[in-house]
Amino acid sequence: MGLKSKWTLYGLLYTLAMIAGGAYVIRRHGSSRYQLIRTSVVVLVQITFGFALPIVMKVFGQQEYYFSYFWPLKIEYLYPSTILGQPFLILAWSFLGSLVAFPLLAYFFGKRFYCSWVCGCGGLANTAGEPFRHLSSKSPRAWKVEQVSIYAVLFLALITTAIVWVNWAIGKQHPDFARVAFKVQDWYGFAIGAIFSGAIGWGSTRSWAPGSGAGSAAPWRPSSASSRSSGGSASR
C-alpha cells in the first residue's frame, strides 16, 4: 500500500473504522443535534490530530506527536526521554494539558468531555462500538468497579512515571535502581497497555484518560441530552 510503517496502516484502519462508525451513528441518531456535533467532532479530531498531523510531522523530518492524547493515556508523553526531546510548545502542551487543563475540565464536565469528544479510544467506542454499547452494565456496582479501576491505573501511572523520572536523574550513578526502573516501565507497558487495555479491553475508554481521577471525584450525574439521544449509553 506504500505505507512506510505497520503503525501507519494500523492508524489508517483505526481512522477508517471511526469514520464508518461515525456515519452509522449519524444515520441512526442524526435527528439529535448533540450526537451529530459530538460524533463529527471526535471523528475530525481523530482524522486531524490522531492521524494526519503526526504523518505530516514525519514527512517534514519531525518526531511524530499525537496532540489529542495525553498522560496517562499516553504515559510516555511525560517520560523525560520523550518529552525533553520535543520543542518547547509541545512540551508545554503536554504538561499543561495532562496536569492542569484536562483534569480541571474533567472535574467540572466529567470524563465524557474528553472520552466522547477528543480521545480516539473513546471515539472508537462511541462510533464503531455504538451497536454494542447496550451490552455493557449500567448498574451502580459496575460504576464502582470502574472507579476502582480508574484510581488503580492512575496510581500505577503516577508511580511508574515518578520512577522513570528518578531513574533519569540518578540512574547512571545507581545502575541497580536503573535496572529496576526499566523493569517497572516494561511491566507497566505489558500489564496496562498490552493486557489490561489491549487484550482484555477493560476500561479502554475511560480508566486512564487524562483527568479520570478528577472526573471521578466529581459527583456523577447522567447527561440528560446524551441519555435521551443514545438510549442512556453515553459515556460518563
Side-chain angles (χ1 to χ4, degrees):
M1 295 180 64
L3 300 176
K4 295 183 178 181
S5 168
K6 63 180 180 180
W7 298 114
T8 304
L9 175 61
Y10 172 79
L12 175 62
L13 295 176
Y14 194 102
T15 303
L16 290 176
M18 281 188 61
I19 293 173
Y24 169 83
V25 172
I26 291 175
R27 186 174 69 251
R28 184 179 181 185
H29 304 293
S31 58
S32 167
R33 184 170 178 267
Y34 171 86
Q35 286 285 8
L36 178 62
I37 296 175
R38 185 202 64 156
T39 303
S40 300
V41 168
V42 75
V43 171
L44 287 174
V45 168
Q46 171 62 26
I47 293 172
T48 305
F49 298 106
F51 181 68
L53 188 56
I55 292 179
V56 171
M57 294 177 71
K58 291 180 68 175
V59 168
F60 284 94
Q62 302 295 319
Q63 182 179 350
E64 63 181 5
Y65 186 88
Y66 297 84
F67 290 89
S68 55
Y69 292 124
F70 294 86
W71 180 96
L73 178 65
K74 195 80 169 169
I75 190 171
E76 63 268 27
Y77 276 5
L78 284 191
Y79 284 173
S81 58
T82 300
I83 195 62
L84 296 182
Q86 298 286 356
F88 174 76
L89 290 179
I90 293 182
L91 186 150
W93 174 268
S94 188
F95 268 96
L96 293 177
S98 300
L99 304 179
V100 181
F102 280 79
L104 286 175
L105 289 169
Y107 181 82
F108 288 108
F109 298 105
K111 297 184 295 297
R112 180 180 62 248
F113 102 91
Y114 180 78
C115 298
S116 297
W117 289 77
V118 179
C119 177
C121 299
L124 186 65
N126 285 299
T127 53
E130 172 66 20
F132 312 101
R133 291 176 65 84
H134 67 281
L135 300 175
S136 64
S137 175
K138 309 299 187 300
S139 67
R141 182 175 180 273
W143 173 233
K144 291 295 183 182
V145 171
E146 182 179 320
Q147 284 185 306
V148 171
S149 69
I150 286 170
Y151 287 114
V153 171
L154 180 60
F155 174 77
L156 292 174
L158 285 167
I159 294 299
T160 302
T161 305
I163 289 174
V164 170
W165 273 94
V166 172
N167 180 50
W168 174 78
I170 67 170
K172 291 183 179 180
Q173 293 77 30
H174 300 82
D176 290 337
F177 180 84
R179 282 192 291 270
V180 172
F182 285 124
K183 287 183 179 179
V184 170
Q185 186 175 341
D186 289 341
W187 273 105
Y188 181 93
F190 175 76
I192 302 300
I195 302 300
F196 196 65
S197 173
I200 300 176
W202 179 273
S204 58
T205 61
R206 295 190 291 254
S207 288
W208 46 83
S212 285
S216 297
W220 175 65
R221 294 179 295 274
S223 168
S224 57
S226 59
S227 296
R228 285 195 302 270
S229 59
S230 59
S233 66
S235 298
R236 295 187 185 99

